[in-house]
Each structure stands twice: as structure tokens, then as C-alpha cells.
Amino acid sequence: MPAPTDAAADWSGWRLGHAIAARFVGWAVDTEGSSRSSALIRVGLAMLFWSRWAGELLLYRDQSPAGLFLAANFFVATALLFVGYRSRVAAIWTGSVGLAMYYYFGFQLGREPWTHHHTYLLAVAALLIALTPCGRSYSLDRYLAVMRAERAGLAPPAERGNLWGLRLIVVQLSVLYFFAAFDKTNHAFLSGARIEAIFLWYYAGSDYPAGLAWLATIVSLAVVALEYCLAIGLPFRATRRYLVLPGLAFHAIIYVTLPVYTFSATMALLYLAYFDADAVDKVIARLQGTGSAGTAKEEIS
């Protein structure tokens, strides 16, 4: 028979575990907040889809039935996502087009640039933003909802909704950072060899600069350490305030030094998901000189 102290410890441990699980579920799936940050991400994703693929999908580029079908779906879906008409359906449509480009046209048909991780991230982000109230602000959906309310003599609908899609974006980014760092946690990268090879390929050619070896080692260690910190620290407010600027600077440096296409801009846009949606709303309202769409809970930090 277990001693009373053991039973009490087990009960306390169970209650603590239950409280932690309940708090996590509340954060993950039960939180409601302003829809404005979700709407900004929606608009930004549509623009990033255009930036990455629009030039390659113009109708004269590929006039095969498959090419024309892809282009038609791409431009209609992204246009609806941008203006915010049937926003969630448009997000699912856009994300599905992105995955078709990644898996079928990329891997199956051999369009190698479409198989890169930045294309996958764009497609998944579009699918995840469909799980947010992304059409309740800055959208044609919002305009039509306000018009219907006015005709019925009702107050405009609140710009709020369940934010679990933003939580999934946070998880996606943390997983991305963690495994990016994990993939680099080997001698080939930590020794600086891969950084040296990248530098020689894009910048120096066969001319090996003095001091490159030790500098490459320092940069490699710093990159891996930063990615682990971003994976673990960005979801939490206490550590996020120290990591946002280094994270954005990291992606800016990658963008101006390497051919990463839309990856850096996508990551910067999705950083909005880390912040409390009502805090984002409060900042937007302050900039506009108007009242916020919902009650703010905290300042962005």
C-alpha cells in the first residue's frame, strides 16, 4: 500500500500536469482575439505568392492544358486571398495550389526551384491562415458583413475570432528553426566548412581569403546557436523581446547575401503570429488614431 506522502505527491503531480495541459489547450485552441494580425498575414501571403510565382505563371509561359489550369487556379485563388473574399476558402485554395506546385510540378515533373523549403512554407502558411479569422478585417468579406449589418440595423460584427491557426504557425516556425539548427549540428557545418564553401561559390571563386577559416567557424557556431534560441525562445514573451530583432536581422542578412527568394520575407511576415493579436490590434489602432477592434491584453514586446 503506498504511503500517504507518496499518494499526496502523486495527486499533486497529477494536478500540476492537468493544470499545465489545460493552460496549453487554452492557449492553443481556445484563445480568441483580434482578427487584424491574421488579416495582415493573409494579405502578405497573397503578395508573397505573387512575388515568388506570378512571373513564372503568366499565361504565355506554359500554354499546355496543365500549365493553363495551374495558372488560372493560382491567379484566381491568390486574388481572392488578397482582397479577402471568402477568405478562408481562398486560403485553402491558395495553399492547395502551392502544395500542388511543390509536390506535383516540383518533385513529380522536375521543376527543381519549386521543391525548395521556402515554397513549402508559403503553401503551409496559407493553409494555416485559413484556421484564423483572417477575413474579418481588411477584406471584402468585412465590407459585405458591415453592409449587411447596416441594412439590418445592427452593430457591425466584431473583428475577432479563434486564433488557433496562429498557434499552429508558431509551432511550424519553431519546428522549422529547431530542425534547421539540428541539421547543422554536425562537424561539416560547425567547423565552418560549409560556410567557406558557400562563400567561395558565390563570392571569392578560387581565391581563398586570409582568415576565412576562423571567421567561418565563428559564423557557423553563431547561426546554430541563434536558430536553437529562436526555436525555443520566440514563443515566450519573456525571451521573445530579446530575439525578434536578431531573428529579423538574421533573415535580412540571408536575403541580401544568398538566393533565398521569398523565404526571408515569409519568415518576417509570419513573426506576427508570435505576438498577442490584441496587442497588435492596439498598436494598429494607436497608429490610426482610432479605437481598437478588441480589448488589448498586453503590449507587443
Side-chain angles (χ1 to χ4, degrees):
M1 181 176 180
T5 54
D6 293 338
D10 291 343
W11 174 247
S12 298
W14 183 88
R15 290 183 62 187
L16 177 61
H18 183 269
I20 292 173
R23 185 174 180 182
F24 175 78
V25 170
W27 173 85
V29 298
D30 291 336
T31 301
E32 289 198 354
S34 170
S35 56
R36 290 182 174 179
S37 58
S38 302
L40 290 174
I41 294 175
R42 186 201 81 237
V43 173
L45 287 174
M47 298 175 71
L48 285 167
F49 265 81
W50 292 337
S51 297
R52 176 61 189 89
W53 283 303
E56 299 178 50
L57 292 175
L58 297 174
L59 297 183
Y60 69 87
R61 289 296 190 102
D62 183 356
Q63 299 181 38
S64 68
L68 293 174
F69 181 76
L70 173 62
N73 277 271
F74 175 88
F75 285 111
V76 173
T78 54
L80 293 176
L81 187 68
F82 180 75
V83 301
Y85 181 67
R86 304 286 182 178
S87 300
R88 288 186 166 182
V89 174
I92 294 172
W93 191 359
T94 300
S96 299
V97 170
L99 288 182
M101 295 171 69
Y102 178 77
Y103 284 110
Y104 180 70
F105 289 90
F107 286 101
Q108 196 72 21
L109 300 185
R111 297 193 186 183
E112 188 274 334
W114 292 7
T115 65
H116 295 182
H117 66 280
H118 69 273
T119 62
Y120 178 81
L121 179 63
L122 268 177
V124 169
L127 292 175
L128 294 180
I129 207 63
L131 303 175
T132 71
C134 62
R136 295 185 183 177
S137 297
Y138 309 132
S139 65
L140 183 56
D141 288 337
R142 172 67 180 174
Y143 176 79
L144 295 174
V146 171
M147 294 294 290
R148 286 193 297 268
E150 288 180 352
R151 287 195 298 268
L154 302 174
E159 295 180 66
R160 300 182 68 78
N162 191 292
L163 302 176
W164 76 299
L166 294 184
R167 308 312 192 203
L168 292 176
I169 290 175
V170 168
V171 172
Q172 173 65 70
L173 295 183
S174 291
V175 168
L176 187 154
Y177 276 130
F178 180 83
F179 282 101
F182 183 78
D183 182 61
K184 297 181 181 73
T185 308
N186 54 63
H187 181 265
F189 191 89
L190 296 177
S191 66
R194 286 175 61 183
I195 293 290
E196 289 183 52
I198 291 170
F199 181 82
L200 293 173
W201 178 263
Y202 286 107
Y203 293 99
S206 59
D207 298 326
Y208 194 93
L212 177 61
W214 65 267
L215 180 60
T217 301
I218 293 174
V219 170
S220 299
L221 293 171
V223 165
V224 172
L226 178 60
E227 287 182 332
Y228 275 126
C229 289
L230 293 172
I232 298 170
L234 275 177
F236 302 100
R237 187 184 184 194
T239 48
R240 183 169 60 240
R241 66 180 65 200
Y242 304 108
L243 293 170
V244 168
L245 290 181
L248 293 175
F250 172 60
H251 288 294
I253 291 170
I254 293 174
Y255 180 79
V256 299
T257 57
L258 295 171
V260 294
Y261 299 96
T262 54
F263 176 67
S264 291
T266 303
M267 293 297 289
L269 174 68
L270 296 181
Y271 267 36
L272 270 174
Y274 283 113
F275 296 105
D276 179 80
D278 286 331
V280 174
D281 178 89
K282 185 176 181 180
V283 171
I284 293 171
R286 184 180 300 164
L287 293 174
Q288 294 176 340
T290 61
S292 62
T295 303
K297 295 179 180 177
E298 60 175 335
E299 295 289 346
I300 291 183
S301 58

